[in-house]
Amino acid sequence: MMKNIFFVICSIVFLVAVSNYLTKEQIIPEEAIRIRVIANSDSLEDQELKKEIKTELENYLYSELKDIRDIDDADIVIKNNLPKIESIVNKYTIDYDINYGMNYFPKKEYKGITYDEGEYKSLVVTLNEGLGSNWWCVLFPPL
């Protein structure tokens, strides 16, 4: 009977430890740069436009940042590529705003993890009026 209780307690401790380990791997590091694309509206057309732009930006920027290991170097790469970022977005729409710096992010729950609202270093692309749903993820470091 004592062996069974001991086994159950050990199993619970193990499961909690594994759960904590897996959760920590998905938390955004303190030194991170995010990317966010905000759609003009929630219409199907505006959401599709947001997805196309986010996919092209994501692919381009991840290729530029893939070998970067330091946040200061990542910052320089992103700043140096702002004209290219603008040209990518401009292919899709002429009414947009791009802001690279400290930007507000609302609270988000994703896969059981809550990401706090706050000001974060980020590249934010707002399409037209920016009243639609947004997409965001970590740009650097790659998770």
Side-chain angles (χ1 to χ4, degrees), residues 9 17 22 26 55 71 73 75 88 98 104 111 128 132 141:
I9 291 172
L22 292 175
Q26 297 176 6
T55 299
I71 192 164
D73 293 338
D75 186 56
I88 290 170
I98 295 176
Y104 172 77
K111 293 187 177 182
N128 299 316

Side-chain angles (χ1 to χ4, degrees), residues 17-32:
V18 168
S19 174
N20 286 340
Y21 174 77
L22 292 175
T23 300
K24 286 181 183 175
E25 283 199 333
Q26 297 176 6
I27 293 175
I28 299 171
E30 282 293 318
E31 286 198 329

Side-chain angles (χ1 to χ4, degrees), residues 31-90:
E31 286 198 329
I33 301 172
R34 299 176 183 206
I35 181 172
R36 182 178 182 202
V37 180
I38 307 170
N40 179 52
S41 74
D42 283 334
S43 74
L44 184 59
E45 181 181 23
D46 285 343
Q47 288 298 310
E48 285 302 315
L49 178 63
K50 173 192 76 180
K51 287 178 187 176
E52 288 177 40
I53 291 171
K54 83 93 179 164
T55 299
E56 190 166 346
L57 287 175
E58 188 178 30
N59 291 337
Y60 174 72
L61 289 167
Y62 284 151
S63 71
E64 292 296 309
L65 295 167
K66 70 180 179 205
D67 297 323
I68 304 297
R69 299 289 172 247
D70 179 76
I71 192 164
D72 294 327
D73 293 338
D75 186 56
I76 291 167
V77 168
I78 294 167
K79 286 178 181 173
N80 288 342
N81 279 282
L82 284 174
K84 175 64 175 174
I85 293 165
E86 287 185 20
S87 73
I88 290 170
V89 177
N90 199 44

